[in-house]
Amino acid sequence: MRTRLGKLVPHKLKYRLFTVFVLVILLPFGVLNIYNYQRIETLVQNKISEQSHEQLDNLHRSLEDQLSIAFKTLIFLEKDSDVRDILQHPDKRNILENAKLMESKFKNLNNSFFLYNPSVYFTLLDDDGHFYTSYSPRYTLKYEDFAANSSIVEMRETGASYFWVSDDQNYVSPDISKSPTLLSLYASLKDNRNRVYGWARISIDFSFWFQSVLQRSESNQAYFIVSRKGEIISRSAPESLLTAKAITHVTAEPVNGYWKDGDNSALVNYSYLPSLDWYLVNQIPLNILFQEIESLKKQYFVSFFLITAAFIAVAFMIAYTFTRPLSHMQAKMKDAVRKDLRIRLPEHNYKGEVLELTRTFNEMMVDMNALIQRLKAEERQRDAVHFQMLLAQVNPHFLLNTLNTMKWIGLRSRNEEIVEICLSLGKLLETSLNSDVDLIHLREEIELTKAFIYIQQVRYSNSFEVEFSYEEEIQYALVPKLSLQPLVDNAIKHGIASLAGGGKIYIRMGLLEKDETKLVLEVEDNGIGMDGALLNGEAGRKRPGIGLDNVRERLRLLFKEDGSLEHVPIPQGTLFRLNMPFLLSEPYELQRIEPNDGEER
């Protein structure tokens, strides 16, 4: 039996490859396509639904851009000094001057680089009976009516910064906008001290936007904007209909999806907008959908049979052409082992994929030889670096021994200041020499910082004060060693060293209020600030400072994205903040013994 089967198996490689192609690729592929024939309708339907969702996502992003325009407009108005001056001091100019200046601001805002959509309208209101608009109103506006708007009243009562109103009655002249409702952002305008000095209403003609973005959409598809309550806010065409059953299914949950509406013979795709509690809905008639599917089926199977016939004819040719150079390449690879990879295949004998394979083989031989040489060079370099590291340890240890000698000289001469400076500098030097430890307890970091501060107090004749603030429960948190010292050094040299007196440094340590898994260390001074330091001659330094970059790089190496060093702008002085994970590591001896009525357990 085995002999008979052996006779059926081809012995040459080209025939074996051809047989494998037919049995492993062609035959399973044919069976799989027969099976997929029954599922193709559902698959194409899902694909069309995915494409429809891509269109809905584009609409979603476009609408988010419109909302962003409203917020950018609000920021421009709030930060504009002239607008603030007009709303805070309306009597500084006469009414016509105020209106003319405000009209100029509105025109500049409409012509700004981001406000490309003309269907955005602004209304500003102060607390002294004046208001300003960028549009022609539909009806006569009264200050009392606008000030009594429910959104503005609610912001006054609750202190909220802004409200979105999705069904604001259209107040713009019908010559400008014929939409029944507008999407409005009601917001308070605040100064630098967070005091409200005015109110703003920024409205978007979303119906105009909806019609404009759908002008190039397919006419056989209908688009809708539906609220969570089931109200159709806008539609792509007046005659477009969405059944009550479809609306109920779409608004059942705040999710994205699709659903086949049997009553209307349509495929309904929907996407939820959480910012406005709306749904974007796309409706495709099923007759158009299945017509496309049938056309795809015919095209697919015609292509499949043509490709199958061509594959059978070409497979044998490929097998023969491909196997001929393999024998030659096999012999060359054996030679490569014997000749220490110093061999190349001739490239002029081959074409196409085999030529690329030959070139790749030659490049691999070259790269492997280069890699071997580079590994040997790196080995020699590593030995040299190790020797230099051993040699570099001599000088710091000699300096530490010299400090101990200076300490005993100070003790003999009873000069306590020299002794304390030597002890403080010795702590810092000994910690920096300990390369085996990267993280230390916060209490140890505080002691090292105090040692450094003592040296600086002596240097600057106690011309500044330092205040520490932290809770006892975080004293055993793990922090990078010598992470506070560069920040304190920066605060002294570039912040308070130039002050005549009264310099103060605040060192605060604690957990982040919103996330107790984060530890925050802050160093703040009341000095001249970073800009003042540059004016005092920082630009003329011979070499740039490396302390802050060193801390920032160590945080990145230790904690990746969870660690950072940031500069926080403050009115006076400088504030640097260290952010890192809260890693608590209490000593074992503190946890092993617990008191119980005065006895050990």
Side-chain angles (χ1 to χ4, degrees):
M1 185 66 180
R2 181 176 299 178
T3 305
R4 293 179 181 177
L5 292 176
K7 293 181 179 180
L8 296 176
V9 176
H11 297 285
K12 289 189 176 182
L13 180 59
K14 59 181 179 180
Y15 298 119
R16 289 185 178 184
L17 287 174
F18 179 76
T19 304
V20 169
F21 285 156
V22 173
L23 296 179
V24 177
I25 299 177
L26 187 59
L27 184 60
F29 187 64
V31 174
L32 180 62
N33 278 280
I34 294 175
Y35 170 74
N36 286 338
Y37 180 81
Q38 300 175 354
R39 299 183 55 200
I40 192 170
E41 182 176 305
T42 303
L43 294 177
V44 175
Q45 178 176 302
N46 292 339
K47 185 63 179 178
I48 293 177
S49 178
E50 291 176 2
Q51 294 175 353
S52 177
H53 272 285
E54 291 179 2
Q55 297 174 357
L56 293 178
D57 290 339
N58 291 333
L59 286 176
H60 190 165
R61 286 190 292 269
S62 178
L63 183 55
E64 291 291 345
D65 290 341
Q66 298 297 312
L67 302 183
S68 176
I69 287 174
F71 275 110
K72 289 178 181 178
T73 304
L74 176 63
I75 293 173
F76 265 83
L77 292 173
E78 191 173 41
K79 299 301 181 182
D80 192 285
S81 58
D82 292 334
V83 173
R84 184 187 308 166
D85 186 56
I86 292 174
L87 296 179
Q88 287 181 329
H89 309 288
D91 298 332
K92 195 173 182 179
R93 306 176 185 84
N94 60 50
I95 296 177
L96 294 178
E97 290 178 347
N98 286 340
K100 185 176 181 180
L101 181 57
M102 194 67 75
E103 182 181 356
S104 175
K105 294 295 178 181
F106 290 153
K107 288 182 178 179
N108 292 336
L109 196 58
N110 276 320
N111 295 328
S112 62
F113 68 94
F114 64 87
L115 199 52
Y116 55 86
N117 195 328
S119 54
V120 178
Y121 314 105
F122 328 120
T123 306
L124 298 183
L125 179 77
D126 61 16
D127 290 327
D128 296 316
H130 305 89
F131 65 92
Y132 308 91
T133 63
S134 66
Y135 53 87
S136 299
R138 185 180 295 260
Y139 48 83
T140 302
L141 298 179
K142 295 182 180 180
Y143 176 87
E144 294 77 10
D145 295 338
F146 187 50
N149 186 282
S150 59
S151 297
I152 294 181
V153 172
E154 188 172 355
M155 284 192 291
R156 290 181 187 273
E157 294 176 351
T158 62
S161 298
Y162 67 90
F163 280 109
W164 279 108
V165 178
S166 59
D167 55 352
D168 204 9
Q169 189 68 29
N170 192 349
Y171 50 83
V172 182
S173 171
D175 296 334
I176 301 175
S177 173
K178 295 180 173 58
S179 303
T181 59
L182 300 175
L183 175 61
S184 298
L185 171 65
Y186 287 83
S188 59
L189 302 176
K190 298 181 180 180
D191 58 16
N192 296 332
R193 297 182 180 180
N194 206 30
R195 295 180 302 186
V196 177
Y197 64 85
W199 311 91
R201 176 176 64 184
I202 303 173
S203 300
I204 301 173
D205 191 349
F206 68 90
S207 296
F208 173 80
W209 160 83
F210 192 57
Q211 296 296 330
S212 63
V213 297
L214 294 178
Q215 286 179 355
R216 295 185 298 273
S217 63
E218 298 182 15
S219 58
N220 52 20
Q221 298 183 18
Y223 291 84
F224 305 86
I225 296 180
V226 182
S227 69
R228 186 69 185 278
K229 298 178 181 178
E231 301 173 351
I232 298 180
I233 299 175
S234 184
R235 64 187 77 204
S236 59
E239 66 275 7
S240 300
L241 297 176
L242 194 62
T243 63
K245 186 182 293 185
I247 294 176
T248 303
H249 183 85
V250 168
T251 58
E253 295 181 6
V255 295
N256 302 338
Y258 70 93
W259 177 69
K260 184 183 291 186
D261 186 0
D263 295 344
N264 203 22
S265 297
L267 182 66
V268 178
N269 301 279
Y270 51 93
S271 176
Y272 178 65
L273 285 73
S275 57
L276 296 175
D277 205 20
W278 286 357
Y279 293 88
L280 289 175
V281 182
N282 166 239
Q283 184 174 259
I284 307 174
L286 290 178
N287 58 344
I288 298 176
L289 178 64
F290 290 134
Q291 181 181 359
E292 294 177 355
I293 293 176
E294 292 298 329
S295 176
L296 288 174
K297 283 181 182 180
K298 294 179 181 179
Q299 295 178 10
Y300 176 80
F301 280 103
V302 169
S303 301
F304 171 74
F305 289 120
L306 291 177
I307 292 174
T308 301
F311 181 83
I312 294 174
V314 174
F316 184 79
M317 297 175 58
I318 294 177
Y320 175 77
T321 306
F322 182 72
T323 55
R324 184 176 61 177
L326 287 181
S327 300
H328 181 63
M329 187 173 292
Q330 181 182 8
K332 290 294 183 180
M333 292 179 69
K334 291 181 179 179
D335 291 341
V337 176
R338 293 194 300 269
K339 297 180 180 181
D340 296 330
L341 306 178
R342 299 181 182 276
I343 193 170
R344 290 180 61 85
L345 291 173
E347 299 180 1
H348 60 276
N349 295 333
Y350 308 111
K351 296 180 181 180
E353 290 82 358
V354 178
L355 176 60
E356 292 298 326
L357 181 61
T358 303
R359 289 175 177 173
T360 304
F361 175 82
N362 292 334
E363 292 175 1
M364 182 181 66
M365 293 294 104
V366 174
D367 293 342
M368 289 179 67
N369 278 298
L371 179 61
I372 292 174
Q373 298 301 322
R374 186 162 60 251
L375 288 175
K376 292 179 179 179
E378 289 179 356
E379 184 71 23
R380 292 192 296 269
Q381 185 179 7
R382 189 161 50 247
D383 293 338
V385 171
H386 181 64
F387 175 79
Q388 293 296 329
M389 289 178 60
L390 294 176
L391 185 63
Q393 291 180 354
V394 176
N395 290 336
H397 283 289
F398 171 76
L399 179 58
L400 187 60
N401 293 333
T402 303
L403 283 175
N404 288 328
T405 303
M406 293 174 62
K407 179 187 70 175
W408 288 111
I409 293 174
L411 288 173
R412 285 198 300 270
S413 61
R414 297 183 179 180
N415 191 327
E416 296 182 0
E417 192 172 73
I418 292 179
V419 174
E420 290 297 329
I421 290 178
C422 290
L423 290 174
S424 299
L425 184 56
K427 289 181 182 179
L428 295 171
L429 185 59
E430 186 174 3
T431 302
S432 64
L433 286 176
N434 187 6
S435 60
D436 296 332
V437 178
D438 294 323
L439 297 174
I440 61 176
H441 286 135
L442 180 60
R443 60 183 299 179
E444 297 177 21
E445 179 67 15
I446 293 173
E447 292 299 323
L448 293 173
T449 305
K450 289 181 178 179
F452 174 76
I453 290 173
Y454 177 80
I455 297 174
Q456 297 299 322
Q457 289 279 24
V458 174
R459 176 183 177 185
Y460 291 98
S461 304
N462 295 314
S463 62
F464 63 89
E465 299 179 6
V466 181
E467 178 181 311
F468 287 85
S469 175
Y470 63 95
E471 300 293 338
E472 291 296 328
E473 57 265 20
I474 67 170
Q475 62 177 330
Y476 290 107
L478 294 177
V479 298
K481 67 178 181 181
L482 297 177
S483 54
L484 285 176
Q485 179 264 332
L487 303 184
V488 175
D489 184 33
N490 184 77
I492 295 173
K493 288 183 179 179
H494 314 309
I496 63 177
S498 301
L499 297 179
K504 195 163 185 179
I505 299 175
Y506 304 90
I507 302 177
R508 296 182 289 268
M509 294 154 280
L511 301 179
L512 193 64
E513 294 182 0
K514 298 180 180 179
D515 187 0
E516 294 188 354
T517 63
K518 299 291 185 181
L519 181 65
V520 178
L521 311 180
E522 294 184 346
V523 176
E524 178 184 351
D525 65 79
N526 64 343
I528 60 177
M530 297 185 69
D531 296 336
L534 291 174
L535 294 176
N536 279 356
E538 288 294 309
R541 297 174 61 185
K542 294 182 179 180
R543 63 182 180 87
I546 62 173
L548 299 180
D549 291 338
N550 182 284
V551 174
R552 188 176 288 108
E553 181 64 15
R554 285 193 289 139
L555 287 172
R556 185 188 68 80
L557 293 174
L558 289 171
F559 306 116
K560 305 300 181 184
E561 293 81 5
D562 293 332
S564 64
L565 171 62
E566 58 179 332
H567 170 246
V568 181
I570 56 176
Q572 179 181 356
T574 307
L575 171 60
F576 280 95
R577 180 178 297 151
L578 285 166
N579 301 285
M580 66 191 72
F582 177 48
L583 306 175
L584 187 63
S585 176
E586 296 186 6
Y588 177 71
E589 288 77 7
L590 297 179
Q591 301 175 0
R592 181 169 55 87
I593 301 176
E594 298 180 2
N596 184 15
D597 297 332
E599 297 180 357
E600 288 188 342
R601 293 189 296 177

Short mmCIF file of all heavy atoms in Angstrom, two decimals, residues 64 101 387 389 477 499:
data_model
loop_
_atom_site.label_atom_id
_atom_site.label_comp_id
_atom_site.label_asym_id
_atom_site.label_seq_id
_atom_site.Cartn_x
_atom_site.Cartn_y
_atom_site.Cartn_z
N GLU A 64 -17.92 68.59 15.60
CA GLU A 64 -17.03 68.94 16.70
C GLU A 64 -16.19 70.16 16.35
O GLU A 64 -15.87 70.99 17.21
CB GLU A 64 -16.12 67.75 17.04
CG GLU A 64 -16.82 66.56 17.66
CD GLU A 64 -17.34 66.84 19.06
OE1 GLU A 64 -16.91 67.85 19.65
OE2 GLU A 64 -18.17 66.08 19.56
N LEU A 101 -16.45 100.08 17.79
CA LEU A 101 -15.27 99.28 18.15
C LEU A 101 -15.63 97.79 18.25
O LEU A 101 -14.89 96.92 17.78
CB LEU A 101 -14.69 99.78 19.47
CG LEU A 101 -13.43 99.05 19.97
CD1 LEU A 101 -12.32 99.12 18.93
CD2 LEU A 101 -12.96 99.66 21.29
N PHE A 387 37.40 50.12 32.23
CA PHE A 387 38.65 50.57 32.84
C PHE A 387 38.54 52.03 33.26
O PHE A 387 38.97 52.42 34.35
CB PHE A 387 39.79 50.37 31.84
CG PHE A 387 41.11 50.91 32.33
CD1 PHE A 387 41.88 50.21 33.25
CD2 PHE A 387 41.57 52.14 31.86
CE1 PHE A 387 43.08 50.73 33.69
CE2 PHE A 387 42.76 52.65 32.31
CZ PHE A 387 43.54 51.95 33.23
N MET A 389 35.81 53.68 34.05
CA MET A 389 34.91 53.79 35.20
C MET A 389 35.64 53.46 36.49
O MET A 389 35.47 54.12 37.52
CB MET A 389 33.70 52.87 35.02
CG MET A 389 32.73 53.32 33.94
SD MET A 389 31.37 52.16 33.73
CE MET A 389 30.67 52.23 35.37
N ALA A 477 7.83 57.38 51.16
CA ALA A 477 7.62 57.26 49.73
C ALA A 477 8.98 57.25 49.02
O ALA A 477 9.93 57.92 49.44
CB ALA A 477 6.77 58.43 49.21
N LEU A 499 18.19 89.01 45.15
CA LEU A 499 17.37 89.83 46.04
C LEU A 499 18.22 90.40 47.17
O LEU A 499 19.15 89.74 47.67
CB LEU A 499 16.23 89.01 46.61
CG LEU A 499 15.20 88.46 45.61
CD1 LEU A 499 14.15 87.65 46.34
CD2 LEU A 499 14.55 89.59 44.83
#
